Amino acid sequence: MSTTRTVIFDAPGGPEVMKIVERPVGDPGPGEVRIRHHACGLNYIDIYQRAGVYPLALPHALGMEGAGVVEAVGAEVTHLAPGDRVAYAAAPPGAYCDLRVMNATQVCRLPESIDFRTGAAMMLQGLTVEYLFNRTVPLKAGDTVLFHAAAGGVGLIACQWARALGIRLIGTAGSDEKCALAREYGASEVINYEKEDFVTRVREMTDGRGVDVVMDSIGKATFEGSLDCLRPVGMMISYGNASGKVPPFDLGILGAKGCLQLTRPTIFMHIAQREKCQSMASHLFDMVESGKIKIHIGQTFALENVVQAHRAMEARSTTGSSVLTL
């Protein structure tokens, strides 16, 4: 039986609670595959899980996406074969490792033109943008979207996707350098929220009308302001909690602010079925292979430096996507 290095944590807490252990890895069962990772992605959801915001049964491994080569497939797996290059975003966590047996449903063949680091960096973030722009609310050329954290991994993909669709994207970020990066990747306008009030600036940029859609992964710190940026009957998409969970609020506020719409989607509902997941991944791969989307990998860490990686993400000193290499 093979063994693998795996990052686990025994109790919620800061980056220091993570440790690397050796674990046995057996053969895949029905509906499963065994994957030898070349790289795995780092995402803010990993921090939520490690810190206990999204509780897991402990001890637990971390990591929601990876890329590598299929070593073996179990019975009933028909879309993959040993030797296939693959990438995935999937639950439960466990991608921070060399070798893994997992359900094959969300594992997708990775085109030869996309390297493993890019594959590991793009799946969770890219599929998130795919459902935000194509499956959450009807968007069309000429629509205006406010996108928070526009220089992050999801944000830079969103900037490019918006440009490809002819959507006006107003991006926010926390420094002039990050704002410049978001603009380089396709944001129509940018707001440095450390220097300017984003609500005031959005109203100025839209001549007082407000935006059609807000895409907000920040949560508590931006939620009320995001609502104030919407036009009447606009859509608020709250899809993350980087600053903490949005506290309970009176639904009547939505009516008072202009009959606003609100949704809280998750990627894992969208990719739960194999056919839909594969379709979404194919769309994402097509966008990358066409050159419309370029995956910006701002940081690369070795697996043994995972604590340093999490500290960098929490300090908001990263840009674009981050990956662990194996």
Side-chain angles (χ1 to χ4, degrees), residues 72-294:
V73 301
E76 302 171 11
V77 176
T78 58
H79 68 292
L80 298 169
D84 282 348
R85 303 172 75 254
V86 294
Y88 67 86
Y96 291 4
C97 65
D98 299 300
L99 190 64
R100 182 183 190 188
V101 171
M102 63 179 292
N103 189 293
T105 299
Q106 284 80 36
V107 180
C108 306
R109 283 196 183 123
L110 184 67
E112 290 288 342
S113 63
I114 301 176
D115 64 80
F116 289 119
R117 287 174 66 246
T118 302
M122 68 188 284
M123 294 301 286
L124 193 145
Q125 296 170 349
L127 291 174
T128 294
V129 177
E130 204 281 343
Y131 84 71
L132 286 174
F133 277 81
N134 298 282
R135 301 168 194 273
T136 306
V137 61
L139 289 171
K140 62 185 184 302
D143 284 346
T144 301
V145 171
L146 174 64
F147 201 100
H148 290 297
V154 176
L156 293 183
I157 296 171
C159 289
Q160 297 172 83
W161 212 303
R163 179 168 57 189
L165 295 179
I167 291 168
R168 179 189 181 192
L169 186 144
I170 301 172
T172 72
S175 71
D176 290 341
E177 292 76 16
K178 288 185 176 183
C179 284
L181 185 62
R183 188 182 289 278
E184 176 187 344
Y185 273 71
S188 302
E189 292 100 358
V190 291
I191 300 168
N192 181 345
Y193 58 74
E194 293 291 348
K195 293 182 175 180
E196 300 179 292
D197 177 72
F198 73 84
V199 177
T200 300
R201 287 293 294 128
V202 166
R203 287 291 171 181
E204 291 172 351
M205 289 174 173
T206 60
D207 296 323
R209 174 180 180 271
V211 300
D212 300 296
V213 179
V214 176
M215 298 180 181
D216 189 340
S217 63
I218 304 302
K220 182 179 179 180
T222 53
F223 182 77
E224 289 190 19
S226 291
L227 293 179
D228 289 334
C229 290
L230 284 167
R231 63 160 172 81
V233 202
M235 171 65 82
M236 169 71 170
I237 305 174
S238 176
Y239 69 99
N241 313 301
S243 67
K245 290 184 177 181
V246 175
F249 72 100
D250 180 359
L251 280 175
I253 291 173
L254 300 179
K257 289 182 180 291
C259 297
L260 304 179
Q261 303 174 73
L262 170 66
T263 185
R264 179 51 170 98
T266 68
I267 183 175
F268 300 109
M269 180 62 68
H270 281 281
I271 64 174
Q273 297 178 333
R274 182 170 71 86
E275 293 79 7
K276 186 175 179 182
C277 179
Q278 303 292 323
S279 175
M280 291 172 64
S282 293
H283 191 188
L284 173 62
F285 295 152
D286 288 346
M287 293 290 282
V288 172
E289 289 189 294
S290 71
K292 294 177 181 177
I293 301 290
K294 297 185 185 300

Side-chain angles (χ1 to χ4, degrees), residues 11-27:
E16 68 281 355
V17 301
M18 294 183 292
K19 59 185 178 182
I20 298 176
V21 299
E22 286 283 338
R23 282 183 163 182
V25 180
D27 294 325

Side-chain angles (χ1 to χ4, degrees), residues 24-41:
V25 180
D27 294 325
E32 294 181 330
V33 292
R34 187 172 69 233
I35 299 173
R36 172 77 56 181
H37 285 143
H38 286 239
C40 57

Side-chain angles (χ1 to χ4, degrees), residues 7-12 17-19 49-50 56 58-62:
V7 176
I8 69 166
F9 69 112
D10 296 314
V17 301
M18 294 183 292
K19 59 185 178 182
Q49 292 164 346
R50 188 210 71 220
L56 298 172
L58 300 175
H60 211 292
L62 284 170

